[in-house]
Amino acid sequence: MPALKGLEWTFDTVASTYEKLRPGYVKELYQTLFDYISINENSNVVEIGSGGGQATAPILTTGCQLIAVEYGKQFSELLKEKFKEYPRFSVITGKFEDTAFDNNAFDLVFSASAFHWVPEKIGYEKVFSMLRSGGVFARFANHPYRDKGNPALSQEIDEIYDHYYNKYYHKEHEIISEYTEQQAKERAMIASKYGFSDIRYKLFYRERLFSAKEYIKLLGTYSDHIAIEENIRNEFFERIEEAINKHGGTITIYDTIDLQLARKY
């Protein structure tokens, strides 16, 4: 489901569950990033929208100085505790677009499944101004797709979404499709509008298996699901759990992870 604007606050209400259930990113993604730019103890880095720190640790372990910008107060406290052994890690609680940074000061600015919350023009222009010459902006995200191997389950879940989610948000039935290479390319090329060059992108894939209860907990970390009125949401989730149990007891999620890289010269 696409993110609904104005629901950034919802994640902070489930910070602990989010941190446990939202996946990190594959090691090949970080290797691709580090092949593009070398990050070490001399590097200054900013992460936009750190959430539960799913993408933070592999960057921190390079020894860099890393500033995490996180809107949620609960997430900020979670991050401080989670990475307290890293003396060069710090957290700023607030929106990226409202936070002041020095120009030409950073080697890497990155954002994992969070930059879509920042207005495009404001975000890209600000990142560009923050980076040193040769500095890099890395944007990546996970795009989950429901069980391809169980069409009967997917059809029933679609019907449940129509009855609860779409009805609640006054939306038409939406045909869900997998994230494509063309979409990744289009997202990567946004950076060219704001002065970036040497633009690249790459896709990575994985599968995740959930029991019915695990999947319901995962759904409870998505902003648009959290915002549904509680009684409706509880019934909505119960129906999905019943459907999964009726169709074998598990659901496989097929993830497509896209990485966009762009450099300032």
Side-chain angles (χ1 to χ4, degrees):
M1 291 292 173
L4 297 178
K5 291 297 183 182
L7 297 182
E8 298 96 324
W9 61 270
T10 57
F11 297 115
D12 205 45
T13 66
V14 292
S16 178
T17 304
Y18 185 105
E19 191 270 338
K20 290 182 176 67
L21 288 176
R22 285 296 189 101
Y25 299 88
V26 296
K27 63 182 181 180
E28 292 82 4
L29 181 150
Y30 295 102
Q31 188 58 59
T32 301
L33 171 59
F34 295 144
D35 287 344
Y36 186 77
I37 181 172
S38 178
I39 299 298
N40 54 45
E41 64 275 5
N42 298 315
S43 303
N44 289 322
V45 179
V46 170
E47 180 180 7
I48 302 168
S50 302
Q54 279 79 3
T56 311
I59 308 296
L60 261 182
T61 53
T62 65
C64 68
Q65 179 171 296
L66 196 158
I67 301 170
V69 184
E70 171 51 48
Y71 181 47
K73 292 181 180 179
Q74 298 296 325
F75 273 131
S76 294
E77 293 306 313
L78 186 154
L79 289 165
K80 290 173 186 176
E81 177 63 24
K82 186 173 182 177
F83 299 116
K84 63 184 178 182
E85 295 180 3
Y86 292 88
R88 305 189 73 203
F89 175 75
S90 59
V91 180
I92 295 174
T93 303
K95 289 187 175 182
F96 172 68
E97 55 266 42
D98 298 333
T99 305
F101 289 100
D102 291 338
N103 292 336
N104 306 304
F106 299 95
D107 302 285
L108 171 67
V109 177
F110 74 100
S111 186
S113 297
F115 202 67
H116 59 283
W117 294 109
V118 182
E120 179 188 302
K121 187 174 188 294
I122 293 172
Y124 277 94
E125 288 183 350
K126 185 165 188 171
V127 170
F128 191 86
S129 70
M130 291 166 58
L131 289 170
R132 296 176 174 138
S133 178
V136 167
F137 178 42
R139 176 180 181 175
F140 46 103
N142 184 52
H143 306 274
Y145 183 70
R146 278 206 306 270
D147 205 329
K148 294 185 288 189
N150 197 336
L153 172 58
S154 289
Q155 181 178 344
E156 186 163 345
I157 290 178
D158 280 342
E159 292 169 357
I160 295 169
Y161 266 85
D162 282 340
H163 185 76
Y164 291 96
Y165 180 97
N166 292 340
K167 186 176 180 181
Y168 185 83
Y169 284 114
H170 307 290
K171 292 166 64 76
E172 297 294 325
H173 176 78
E174 182 180 5
I175 297 175
I176 307 298
S177 57
E178 284 189 271
Y179 190 79
T180 67
E181 183 172 354
Q182 181 61 31
Q183 287 174 290
K185 180 179 180 181
E186 289 172 0
R187 178 174 285 184
M189 294 312 297
I190 294 171
S192 66
K193 295 159 51 179
Y194 301 98
F196 289 92
S197 55
D198 191 17
I199 295 169
R200 306 181 194 181
Y201 68 93
K202 190 170 183 180
L203 298 179
F204 308 88
Y205 303 93
R206 70 176 168 207
E207 297 177 15
R208 292 179 288 150
L209 183 68
F210 295 91
S211 69
K213 287 193 179 299
E214 289 169 340
Y215 187 64
I216 292 308
K217 289 181 180 179
L218 176 67
L219 290 182
T221 69
Y222 286 103
S223 60
D224 47 357
H225 292 58
I226 299 167
I228 294 174
E229 194 275 318
E230 185 177 8
N231 290 336
I232 298 172
R233 183 176 70 245
N234 288 341
E235 188 175 328
F236 174 35
F237 285 3
E238 286 172 7
R239 289 283 309 280
I240 292 176
E241 184 175 350
E242 289 169 1
I244 294 171
N245 284 326
K246 185 171 76 174
H247 292 278
T250 61
I251 183 169
T252 301
I253 299 301
Y254 296 81
D255 289 333
T256 301
I257 304 167
D258 63 329
L259 168 66
Q260 287 85 28
L261 298 167
R263 198 181 301 273
K264 173 183 177 179
Y265 284 118

